[in-house]
Each structure stands twice: as C-alpha cells, then as structure tokens.
Amino acid sequence: MGKHINAKVFRYDPDKDKEPYYSIYRVEVDEELSALMLLDRIQKNFDETLSLRSYSCGLQMCKSCIMKINNKKKFACLTMVKPGEDVLFEPASYPEYHVKDLVTIDPENE
Amino acid sequence: MHNNNGDVKECDVLVIGGGGSGALACLEASKDGELNVILVSQGPISRSGLTPTGNGGTAVSDSPEDLFTMMVKAGNYLNDQNIVWLMSNEVHNSLKKLRDLGVPVKNLAAGSACVHGVETLAIARKELSRRPNVALFEDVMITRLIQKDGAIRGAVAWNLISGKVFIIQTKAIVLATGGMTGELYSLSSNNPFGVSTDAAGTGHVMAYLAGADLIDMEMIAFVPLPLNAKCKNIRFFPEFWQGPYMNRTGKIIEGDVNQYWGGSYSYQFVQKIFKELDRGNGPIIVDRRGKNEKYSKFPIPVWERRRNLIKKLGIDPVENKIEIGIGSHFCMGGIYVDEKMESTIKGLFAAGEVMGGVHGGLRLPGKSFTQMIVFGFEAGRNAASYAMMHNKISDSFSEEITQEKEKIYNYVKKKKNPISLSELKKKLHGVMDRDVFVFRDKNGLESAIQEIREIKKDIYRINVPTFMRFNLDWIRAMEFSLMIEGAEIIASSALFREESRGFHYRNDFPKKDDKNWLIHTVTRFREERLEHDTAPVVLSRMKPEV
C-alpha cells in the first residue's frame, strides 16, 4: 500500500452549481505536511478549479487559512495531516459569508 | 459616495495595496474627513501580502544621525540621503501615531521597537471601516495605471470575486504594492511554506508601463533560507542565524557574521554561502546542537510564537541540523521618488518596499518596517495635499477599459495551442536562478534577457479554467503577465550597472566604482521599449571616503 492522503473537499460555485458537492482527491505524500500545503498542492497539480485562500503568514496569526478540518475550525497552515489519513475540508462558514469552495469573507472584514 | 455608473468609481485619493504602507497612507489621507479615499487590496487586509509575515522589528534609534549613518554606509552610499534623513527623523512621530491608534508598540533595547504586522493592520482596518469617506475594496486587483499628460488619472480594477473589470478615477494615487521578489526565483522568503503571498511586483511594473521611472532595480537582496520541506522558506530570527554554518566537510564557512552590515543578511555572507554551494561543497548546514544555550523567553509574543512554531514543526536548530539554501528576499530598488514620495508622474506617490532610494545597495534588518510606517503616513499626507490642490478632470477611459478587458478575458478563452502557467513559471525560475542571481556577468544577463523575451511571447497561450469567481489560475496568469516585465527590468538593470556594489555583483566588474557608478540606474518605458538612464544620488550629508 502506497502512502496516500484521501482529501474530501467541499465544492460550491454559486455562479454554476445548483448545490454543494464534494470532490475527492487521493494524494501521494511521503511524510506529514500542513493541510494548507496539501490543498495548495491539490489545486496546483490535480484540480485547478479548486478555490481556496492560498496564503500563509507563516505564523498562524492572520486567520486567512481558517477552515473546517474534520468538522473543527482550524488554522490550515499548521494543522498537520499524515499519510494514511482521511481528511474532510469544509469552508469556515456556509452559507453565510461564503464565496466559493473553501473561500469565505470574514464577517469582521465585511 | 463613490458612484456613478457601474463601470467607473470616483475618489480623490486611491491607495493601491492593503499592507502596512497602504493602510497607514489611507488613514492619513482620510483623517480630516474631507477627501474620499478608496483602498484597493488584492486580498483581505491583515490577511494578505508581506506585512503579516514579518517579524515586526523596527529601527528607532535615539539618534537620527546614528540610524542615518548606519543605513548610508550599509547601503554603499546609493541611498538618497534626503529620504533617509527624513525617515530617521520621522520614525518617532510615526510610532506615536501608531500608539495613538492603539497599535501595541513595544520598546526594545538598543534603539529598536517592535510593531507587529497583523496587529497593526487589523487595528487600521477597523478604524478605516468606521470612516464614511473611506471605501475598502478587498479581493480586487489593480491591473493598470492610467496617466495622461504627465499626471495620474486613474486605474483599471478587477474584482476577483465577480470577475468584473471597472475603472477607478482619481486625482492622486499612493502605490503601496510591496515587494517583487516572491515569484521570480524558485526559493523566496516571501512565500512561507512555499505558498504564494503575491509579492509579484505588479505595482512596480504598472508604474513603469504608465511611464514612471524606476531606480536601482538590479539591487535584489538574497538571504539564507531553510530547505527542509516542512519549514520551506520560513525565516527564523536573526538570533537563530548566528551559525555556525558548515559545508559538507564540516568546515565552518564564516566565523562571525556580525562583522558585516546586516549580519547573516549581508551580501558578503550570502556570497560566501553561494560560492561553497557552487564549488560542490554543499549541503550547507546550520547546526546549533549541543550548544547548551540557556533558554530565555523572547520579549515579543510573536517571536515566541515563531520559536514555538519552529519547535512544533521539528526544525529548531537547537535540536536539528537545518539545511540552508539561498532565496530572494527584498528589492532595494523601486519607484523613483522625491522627498514627497512623488514619482516622475504627477500625483503618483509611492510608499513602502515599492519605492526606491531608501536602502541603496543593502537593506538592514528592521529598516523596512520603518520605511513602511514612515513613508506610508508621509505618502498619504502628500497625496491628500495634492488632491486638495487639483481639480477633477473629466476623462473618458473607454479605450483603456476595452484594452484591459480584452487582455484579462483572453486567458479564459480556449486556446488552440495552450501552455501551462506552471511550465512558463518554471522556465522563468530557471533563467533567474541561473543568470540573475547572486553573481552575474554580461553573457549570463544577455542570455537571460533573450530567454525572458521568449517566455513573454508565450504568455497569451496560457489557458485557465473558465469560471469568474476566485479563479486562482486566472489571477496568477494576470500577475505573471506583469511580473515577467519585472524580470526583464531586473536583468537589464543588472547588465547596465557595470560595477559591483551591495547585493549587485558582476564577475566581470568585481570592484565598486564610485567614480563612474555612484549613481542610480534608471529604467523607463518609452515608445514601447525598455530604456536605461542614470540619475544622481542625493549625497547631501555624507560622502564616501575616497
């Protein structure tokens, strides 16, 4: 058995989709990595249609990367995911402040 | 208030860039409630750009003379001394303004203070949202500046959520778009974890294409960076960088980095590391294991946070060997401004890393935050004065908006012969890493310029998925179309300056040549072509020893 992470990601584009759905990506990884790096890799190598706030302050401070990971709101930049794991990615809020897929607008930033 | 027909928004001052300089410029320009100010930010303020990634150290110095002297000597006298003098004298006032806003400013020892980027921006944003004369346009990218008869008129804006393209008509602009080295090289401190912060230099290029002069664009700072996958590009503190740095045989590369201006961020040290790697003596390792250092908590919470983060990722140099590479960090060159921060286009002001003339050939750690804060406020103030003194001009921008729409929407059209953006980016990184890096020479630079022009020809072939809303590939393609010009500007300026000074080293001109080259290299766009010129350096207070 190879080393994989199964990422299940919430998808919804209000301009195109009737309702939300999930995309499943099976990504080969050698060692644990941050959830944000995994999503960045998925968007760059597997699915260019995925939308996320692909930004990291590198300090786990700015809150750009906050999203639901396995049902809990977390900083994706420093939540580590390991080979062999199944991970569920959902936007920090839906339908409130939702833009597309994992992208939201923070209510304080409205 | 900013209205009119859907395609055109109007204001008195437009601030481009939602980082530290932009937010502070917007605060300053809008504070009297008289002027309508729009701030455009490519991402949400406090959650985008380079400002949130910094450590927050700011030079203060009890003596402006000391700070001034340090910067000019370290910059190899290429700094415009009127601008540096202004900065050295204004920093106390600027920090006071921040304190008055409620931004935590912590005094440290030895003439420095700490202001953290995320905190400053969050507080600035809150205040700006309260002001009825300010509109914040976040998730909006400016793609083009419009100049007519030598004066700025407006900009073309692209809403990254709706995909809509519109015009912002204004009397004055503060360009505060930050750094440009994040996307040009394969390694960059601008991209923590390898994730982009959009430090692509689009601001530099838009100003250049609109006709503004740029100076000293060959002056790019390179720094040591960790290569380990888990902590790629994460900058440690200078404290961690005391070394020792060793090559593959265990030989220590540098005894004492502090003998150089900038320490481990000096060009002398970076050149030494590069030479070791080039000779095949890599990997270069930082190894502080077994030093038995006494743990003492950092005075700044954010620094402790970074230390804990490094420990959590398993890459603390106290416990691990860290492999080191060299990546890009900062652009000392930039928009050519006077001491009012006004560029060579009337009404176009620049603040922060996008401006040139502050650091000369080398930027000292802690001084770019100072630059950000002082000139953010200054440019905002001066842009506001300019706007007060000038009447609105009725303009039609139909040609510009049509051209920009065509350029932007071209990417979402199906191509007969598509090429991927990542393929072009890899090619560009290859060229820059090889020929426009720490050591340069005529042949390499000429070949780089040729290859960059070849890459430019293929840009129109980039294919991106065809949806409007937050389309990352589309945004990156647009950035790439601008940043490739930046690459050519850097390579061409490096070819133009025939001497070595600061971070610019020419193997074929290895010595500093004050007689012929104590001048700014100027880059400008005229008649559809890149041109070079020179401009005198302002040496008002100090001259180099002969």
Side-chain angles (χ1 to χ4, degrees):
Chain A
M1 269 217 302
K3 290 180 177 178
H4 287 98
I5 290 180
N6 290 316
K8 186 171 170 183
V9 185
F10 178 97
R11 307 295 305 279
Y12 181 57
D13 181 349
D15 297 337
K16 288 186 162 185
D17 301 325
K18 277 213 182 100
E19 56 186 23
Y21 61 98
Y22 288 83
S23 292
I24 299 193
Y25 308 99
R26 193 169 147 79
V27 187
E28 205 174 292
V29 294
D30 293 326
E31 50 166 5
E32 68 169 10
L33 78 169
S34 88
L36 183 65
M37 282 181 82
L38 176 71
L39 289 169
D40 191 48
R41 201 183 286 189
I42 289 172
Q43 193 278 330
K44 284 183 172 139
N45 301 329
F46 293 88
D47 188 353
E48 58 199 356
T49 70
L50 177 62
S51 298
L52 68 141
R53 287 205 181 276
S54 168
Y55 173 79
S56 173
C57 64
L59 279 167
Q60 200 173 359
M61 257 188 94
C62 73
K63 302 187 199 162
S64 166
C65 65
I66 289 191
M67 60 181 70
K68 283 203 191 134
I69 300 178
N70 293 335
N71 298 306
K72 277 205 176 124
K73 263 198 198 166
K74 292 205 166 153
F75 287 91
C77 63
L78 283 174
T79 299
M80 305 307 273
V81 292
K82 296 186 179 68
E85 279 184 353
D86 292 336
V87 193
L88 174 66
F89 291 102
E90 292 170 306
S93 64
Y94 174 81
E96 311 81 20
Y97 309 116
H98 185 252
V99 173
K100 179 178 176 285
D101 302 343
L102 298 172
V103 180
T104 56
I105 295 176
D106 186 287
E108 275 174 58
N109 272 7
E110 273 273 278
Chain B
M1 81 161 146
H2 308 283
N3 289 293
N4 2 94
N5 80 66
D7 262 1
V8 182
K9 307 280 184 205
E10 280 181 30
C11 60
D12 299 303
V13 178
L14 167 62
V15 179
I16 302 176
S21 290
L24 299 182
C26 190
L27 281 169
E28 191 69 20
S30 63
K31 71 180 183 190
D32 295 331
E34 302 277 331
L35 297 172
N36 290 326
V37 185
I38 292 177
L39 171 57
V40 173
S41 178
Q42 198 169 322
I45 295 166
S46 83
R47 297 164 188 206
S48 56
L50 287 179
T51 307
T53 68
N55 284 335
T58 298
V60 176
S61 190
D62 294 322
S63 157
E65 282 86 3
D66 286 346
L67 177 56
F68 173 84
T69 304
M70 214 178 1
M71 283 181 67
V72 172
K73 281 191 171 162
N76 270 277
Y77 290 85
L78 195 60
N79 330 50
D80 275 338
Q81 293 181 16
N82 51 347
I83 290 175
V84 182
W85 187 242
L86 172 62
M87 183 174 121
S88 311
N89 283 280
E90 265 304 300
V91 59
H92 281 282
N93 260 350
S94 300
L95 290 178
K96 178 173 186 306
K97 281 182 184 168
L98 289 183
R99 284 192 180 99
D100 291 344
L101 275 169
V103 172
V105 177
K106 178 139 188 183
N107 283 326
L108 305 173
S112 64
C114 189
V115 177
H116 196 265
V118 173
E119 281 175 326
T120 307
L121 289 176
I123 289 169
R125 195 191 180 285
K126 207 167 184 174
E127 173 57 27
L128 289 170
S129 324
R130 269 188 352 97
R131 295 184 179 182
N133 58 327
V134 172
L136 301 179
F137 289 4
E138 292 164 304
D139 291 320
V140 173
M141 181 176 161
I142 298 292
T143 66
R144 178 172 168 169
L145 299 183
I146 302 168
Q147 172 262 121
K148 283 183 185 169
D149 303 320
I152 206 72
R153 292 277 190 260
V156 182
W158 178 32
N159 185 313
L160 302 177
I161 293 178
S162 68
K164 190 160 179 260
V165 177
F166 60 101
I167 294 278
I168 301 176
Q169 181 170 11
T170 184
K171 294 193 242 169
I173 291 182
V174 177
L175 192 65
T177 48
M180 78 175 305
T181 68
E183 303 296 310
L184 297 176
Y185 298 89
S186 53
L187 268 188
S188 175
S189 71
N190 293 174
N191 299 337
F193 299 114
V195 176
S196 171
T197 53
D198 297 320
T202 56
H204 295 73
V205 173
M206 287 191 293
Y208 156 84
L209 290 173
D213 285 359
L214 305 180
I215 52 168
D216 305 331
M217 292 302 291
E218 66 281 358
M219 295 300 176
I220 305 289
F222 299 99
V223 293
L225 288 172
L227 292 178
N228 307 41
K230 266 198 224 168
C231 63
K232 189 174 173 204
N233 296 339
I234 299 293
R235 286 179 292 146
F236 292 99
F237 288 105
E239 283 90 335
F240 283 129
W241 290 119
Q242 296 312 304
Y245 297 81
M246 290 179 290
N247 68 13
R248 127 185 102 76
T249 66
K251 176 169 174 273
I252 290 178
I253 296 169
E254 181 57 76
D256 173 23
V257 289
N258 293 316
Q259 65 183 288
Y260 307 121
W261 286 115
S264 59
Y265 281 17
S266 67
Y267 58 89
Q268 294 94 331
F269 180 60
V270 168
Q271 284 164 2
K272 280 199 175 180
I273 297 184
F274 184 91
K275 279 194 179 134
E276 287 296 310
L277 287 168
D278 206 40
R279 286 175 191 144
N281 292 339
I284 308 298
I285 308 278
V286 164
D287 192 349
R288 292 178 76 76
R289 294 174 304 169
K291 290 231 154 231
N292 290 322
E293 284 149 335
K294 193 163 160 255
Y295 169 78
S296 65
K297 200 169 173 190
F298 282 128
I300 310 295
V302 166
W303 296 7
E304 264 305 292
R305 179 191 285 266
R306 196 189 280 280
R307 170 192 267 163
N308 291 332
L309 185 150
I310 286 164
K311 275 185 159 24
K312 182 180 170 184
L313 289 171
I315 38 101
D316 188 337
V318 168
E319 290 156 17
N320 301 272
K321 288 200 305 188
I322 309 294
E323 189 182 342
I324 302 299
I326 295 172
S328 63
H329 183 55
F330 187 89
C331 180
M332 277 74 73
I335 314 286
Y336 191 22
V337 293
D338 61 17
E339 61 228 33
K340 285 197 161 331
M341 301 345 15
E342 195 172 21
S343 71
T344 52
I345 294 177
K346 290 204 277 279
L348 176 64
F349 297 81
E353 190 175 341
V354 76
M355 56 186 283
V358 180
H359 305 287
L362 168 86
R363 178 207 70 106
L364 289 171
K367 315 301 185 275
S368 50
F369 252 59
T370 319
Q371 167 188 25
M372 176 181 88
I373 296 167
V374 170
F375 298 121
F377 284 129
E378 287 290 302
R381 186 163 59 88
N382 296 330
S385 301
Y386 180 95
M388 297 278 249
M389 288 193 313
H390 287 79
N391 294 321
K392 196 182 89 168
I393 295 178
S394 286
D395 262 315
S396 154
F397 296 110
S398 51
E399 192 182 312
E400 286 84 359
I401 198 172
T402 304
Q403 281 173 358
E404 270 316 278
K405 276 184 179 170
E406 195 182 305
K407 180 181 178 200
I408 294 170
Y409 293 131
N410 164 62
Y411 292 108
V412 288
K413 293 200 187 104
K414 277 255 173 281
K415 309 287 181 323
K416 274 188 224 153
N417 186 14
I419 196 168
S420 82
L421 173 62
S422 57
E423 186 184 325
L424 284 184
K425 223 175 192 180
K426 238 193 186 141
K427 265 195 195 161
L428 178 62
H429 287 174
V431 173
M432 299 300 280
D433 285 350
R434 194 187 58 230
D435 293 323
V436 197
F437 203 49
V438 179
F439 292 101
R440 301 140 174 202
D441 62 58
K442 179 172 188 282
N443 290 335
L445 291 168
E446 283 177 344
S447 133
I449 291 168
Q450 274 314 111
E451 287 188 61
I452 290 168
R453 289 182 183 160
E454 286 302 312
I455 294 172
K456 255 208 268 193
K457 289 182 188 160
D458 279 336
I459 289 179
Y460 79 95
R461 288 169 56 198
I462 296 173
N463 224 27
V464 306
T466 58
F467 60 93
M468 295 281 123
R469 190 176 270 256
F470 219 90
N471 185 334
L472 286 173
D473 278 28
W474 193 14
I475 297 165
R476 287 169 186 153
M478 270 304 296
E479 268 178 357
F480 190 82
S481 73
L482 288 167
M483 118 202 173
I484 188 85
E485 306 280 353
E488 185 176 349
I489 289 167
I490 294 173
S492 186
S493 300
L495 182 62
F496 187 62
R497 182 181 288 278
E498 291 181 340
E499 64 150 4
S500 293
R501 182 181 302 262
F503 263 101
H504 171 68
Y505 193 96
R506 287 280 299 263
N507 292 328
D508 44 351
F509 295 98
K511 293 210 162 13
K512 185 165 61 170
D513 179 3
D514 279 347
K515 182 159 174 276
N516 295 303
W517 285 101
L518 185 44
I519 45 177
H520 294 305
T521 61
V522 176
T523 309
R524 61 173 72 108
F525 189 59
R526 287 291 180 276
E527 329 230 304
E528 308 294 309
R529 276 179 39 239
L530 187 161
E531 272 179 18
H532 286 300
D533 196 354
T534 59
V537 177
V538 178
L539 294 165
S540 40
R541 309 187 76 90
M542 253 168 77
K543 304 250 188 316
E545 293 106 39
V546 180

